[in-house]
Amino acid sequence: MTSILLYSLAGLGLFAIGLFGVVVASHVMRKILALNVMGVGIFMFLIALAKHSPNVFDPVPHAMVLTGIVIAVAGTALALNLMVRIHNMDEPSQEKPTL
């Protein structure tokens, strides 16, 4: 088994686990984590496909993965922020004293 095949199968496995988590999980936090696992699987698959021969790597998938990591962090922060805001809206509000 070559390293390309191993990384490709691991990436597809992580994607499948994340997809299962998105479909099955009922809590929003678990769905966000499952989406992150799916993203890691896609990144691993792209890195595995970047190797053309034993000594030649394509730099474009590496750049795409680095950009994707930055976007994934920003998207996760946004999703967690929205999750907290929705949770705060569902709670009964308590009057805070004004000074």
Side-chain angles (χ1 to χ4, degrees), residues 7-74:
Y7 277 102
S8 297
L9 290 175
L12 291 175
L14 282 172
F15 184 82
I17 291 170
L19 184 62
F20 178 77
V22 168
V23 172
V24 171
S26 61
H27 195 273
V28 178
M29 175 73 107
R30 290 184 181 173
K31 287 185 184 276
I32 294 170
L33 290 174
L35 285 172
N36 282 333
V37 171
M38 287 174 63
V40 169
I42 292 171
F43 297 153
M44 281 186 68
F45 189 73
L46 282 174
I47 292 296
L49 294 180
K51 190 173 184 180
H52 291 294
S53 65
N55 295 327
V56 179
F57 292 95
D58 187 11
V60 174
H62 291 276
M64 288 173 54
V65 167
L66 284 174
T67 305
I69 290 170
V70 171
I71 292 171
V73 168

